[in-house]
Amino acid sequence: MTQQSLGAARVFASNYQIVVCDDPLSSLGSEDDWNWDAAKSKRGFAGVPTFRMIGTEADLNNHWVELVLSSEPPSPAEWQRITCVHFHSGNGRIHVMSVIDHDPALSAEIESGDYAVYAAAQNLGIDQLSLGEAAKLSDSEIAERRDVEWYRLFLVPGKPEFEGRVVDR
């Protein structure tokens, strides 16, 4: 598997959601927005191909997120949860952010077109609060922590055949 890092950043996942979009200023109709009762939200995501919201677990909503362009999906054996969504970039950009951000936490240039985004997660529901820690972590400190909830987004060219939870343990 070949991978190219497109960046990494701390994302405050407000409302337990990480946004992957091609335009941070775009908006959704109410039928596409997050709804805990909707079938898409129960599968771990909501939105439309140009603006995806992927569910998170930890109460502090403070996650390290890595974005990689990959030739293959992640190995299900290596991740606690993997959620796959169809993503379409019409402008050759991808942004990762919170639903309340005005500016993305990270952005990258990509080829325009269809992709599968595999949101691979480790340590679901574990954050500093659940570990009894009170100190605020710097970006470099949270980047090193692999004992709290963190994500790697695998961007794989082509439209996925399946959307939803690939693995969830």
Side-chain angles (χ1 to χ4, degrees):
M1 171 183 346
T2 60
Q3 292 183 17
Q4 174 190 351
S5 174
L6 298 178
R10 177 196 304 254
V11 174
F12 178 73
S14 178
N15 297 304
Y16 299 92
Q17 299 164 54
I18 295 172
V19 171
V20 177
C21 63
D22 76 341
D23 179 0
L25 301 177
S26 63
S27 61
L28 294 173
S30 60
E31 69 279 359
D32 296 316
D33 205 353
W34 193 272
N35 177 340
W36 289 105
D37 295 327
K40 285 185 180 178
S41 298
K42 288 182 179 180
R43 293 190 302 173
F45 71 96
V48 297
T50 57
F51 192 98
R52 290 297 192 191
M53 297 164 288
I54 300 166
T56 65
E57 297 288 331
D59 289 331
L60 288 181
N61 293 302
N62 193 14
H63 308 295
W64 189 251
V65 179
E66 302 169 350
L67 177 63
V68 297
L69 181 63
S70 181
S71 61
E72 296 178 30
S75 168
E78 296 175 15
W79 297 92
Q80 186 177 358
R81 176 182 289 161
I82 300 172
T83 305
C84 180
V85 298
H86 171 217
F87 172 70
H88 179 81
S89 177
N91 61 11
R93 302 285 296 161
I94 185 170
H95 306 281
V96 179
M97 56 195 265
S98 168
V99 295
I100 62 169
D101 284 343
H102 295 290
D103 298 315
L106 79 104
S107 299
E109 292 185 27
I110 58 174
E111 295 290 324
S112 296
D114 291 307
Y115 293 87
V117 173
Y118 293 88
Q122 294 287 37
N123 301 314
L124 293 168
I126 301 173
D127 57 22
Q128 287 183 272
L129 182 65
S130 68
L131 295 174
E133 299 175 10
K136 180 168 172 55
L137 297 175
S138 68
D139 286 356
S140 60
E141 289 171 327
I142 198 169
E144 296 296 320
R145 296 285 296 262
R146 293 298 189 236
D147 62 335
V148 294
E149 187 171 324
W150 67 281
Y151 291 82
R152 183 171 297 146
L153 305 179
F154 291 77
L155 186 64
V156 179
K159 192 173 180 179
E161 294 180 18
F162 167 83
E163 289 185 290
R165 296 269 165 83
V166 175
V167 64
D168 191 10
R169 41 179 167 263

